Amino acid sequence: MHSNSTVEQETINLADSLVIRQLDTMDYSQVWHAMKDFTDSRDDTIADELWLVEHPAVFTQGQAGKAEHILIPGDIEVVKVDRGGQVTYHGPGQQVIYCMINLRRKKIGVRQLVTLIENSIVSALADYNVVAYAKADAPGVYVDEKKVASLGLRVRKGCSFHGLAINVNMDLSPFLRINPCGYAGLEMVQTADLQGPQDTASASTALVKHLITLLEANNVSYQTGLPNEKNTHHE
């Protein structure tokens, strides 16, 4: 039996625990369903996780998404998903980080999490002397009015999933087939063209460093593969 004080202490300890999960390249729908399963099955005994992944080419249409923002999908699959926001593109050379955060345990709201994620991107790019900024009316991160990172979240049971996508070193032309995030003519840019991170490994290292700091995670562990695979939980 756990005493109340022991359970409380374990919850406090979990509040500053974080699992960094490297998924490499993985199909979008597979990871999306795994995120939903993780969120639906988690409770206060489960640590927060960040999932690092690249996806094969895919357009994803958020809950409020309007079909007219998908101009010419062509041969790229369109997946309708349960995050906020409109349509975006994921593809090789873009670093995606999904944020599975227990907001109740962290005692933060979704707007605070959005700001925290945006700040982590701005700080990571500042490490490379790239001046980036967020916009109050259009989530994401921008450089010279061009969008370098997109953001979309869903909260269920007080826990977040989905997350951020930063353009690192990729083919940006599929963004021309859509109105990115619902904005016609919005220009996209990538870090490799800004003297920022030249590859996704560098970008993820920089981002994770700042996410760990801003999430005040003092107990960090590293895993590979989805949670339902061999490595299920951290120690």
Side-chain angles (χ1 to χ4, degrees):
M1 292 285 291
H2 287 304
S3 70
N4 286 342
S5 60
T6 306
V7 171
E8 198 172 293
Q9 187 60 44
E10 286 176 355
T11 302
I12 291 168
N13 290 342
L14 277 170
D16 71 355
S17 295
L18 188 64
V19 176
I20 311 295
R21 191 174 290 282
Q22 178 58 255
L23 303 181
D24 296 319
T25 298
M26 197 170 284
D27 175 75
Y28 179 85
S29 292
Q30 181 183 4
V31 179
W32 173 36
H33 291 299
M35 276 195 286
K36 290 194 290 186
D37 290 345
F38 178 87
T39 303
D40 286 342
S41 62
R42 71 180 299 190
D43 57 28
D44 286 339
T45 68
I46 303 296
D48 292 337
E49 300 200 0
L50 300 179
W51 293 6
L52 281 54
V53 65
E54 288 181 67
H55 293 304
V58 63
F59 293 120
T60 66
Q61 177 77 298
Q63 275 192 312
K66 296 178 180 175
E68 62 260 31
H69 291 310
I70 303 171
L71 308 175
I72 317 166
D75 56 350
I76 298 178
E77 181 186 15
V78 178
V79 179
K80 293 184 178 179
V81 297
D82 54 354
R83 62 163 170 77
Q86 294 278 342
V87 64
T88 194
Y89 170 71
H90 298 306
Q94 180 190 69
Q95 181 64 60
V96 178
I97 301 182
Y98 293 124
C99 303
M100 263 62 78
I101 308 297
N102 185 326
L103 301 178
R104 287 179 302 187
R105 188 166 60 201
K106 280 284 181 190
K107 296 182 170 58
I108 61 173
V110 66
R111 180 63 246 185
Q112 289 170 280
L113 179 61
V114 168
T115 299
L116 185 154
I117 293 170
E118 289 172 336
N119 288 344
S120 73
I121 300 166
V122 169
S123 297
L125 291 176
D127 290 345
Y128 287 82
N129 298 312
V130 176
V131 179
Y133 52 90
K135 291 184 175 185
D137 59 339
V141 174
Y142 302 80
V143 177
D144 295 330
E145 290 302 293
K146 298 175 183 178
K147 195 165 195 176
V148 70
S150 302
L151 200 150
L153 292 170
R154 175 77 190 270
V155 175
R156 188 183 292 170
K157 294 169 51 183
C159 298
S160 70
F161 58 111
H162 295 287
L164 72 94
I166 185 166
N167 307 327
V168 181
N169 196 342
M170 62 188 297
D171 175 8
L172 293 173
S173 65
F175 283 108
L176 299 175
R177 303 192 198 181
I178 59 174
N179 291 331
C181 309
Y183 293 94
L186 176 63
E187 276 192 77
M188 307 299 284
V189 69
Q190 57 188 343
T191 62
D193 296 334
L194 299 168
Q195 284 69 58
Q198 298 296 302
D199 53 62
T200 52
S202 303
S204 64
T205 298
L207 282 164
V208 165
K209 178 182 78 169
H210 289 287
L211 284 165
I212 287 170
T213 299
L214 291 170
L215 288 166
E216 299 178 349
N218 300 310
N219 177 22
V220 180
S221 59
Y222 295 82
Q223 301 276 344
T224 57
L226 291 170
N228 59 359
E229 295 175 350
K230 284 182 296 183
N231 294 327
T232 48
H233 294 307
H234 69 296
E235 289 297 325

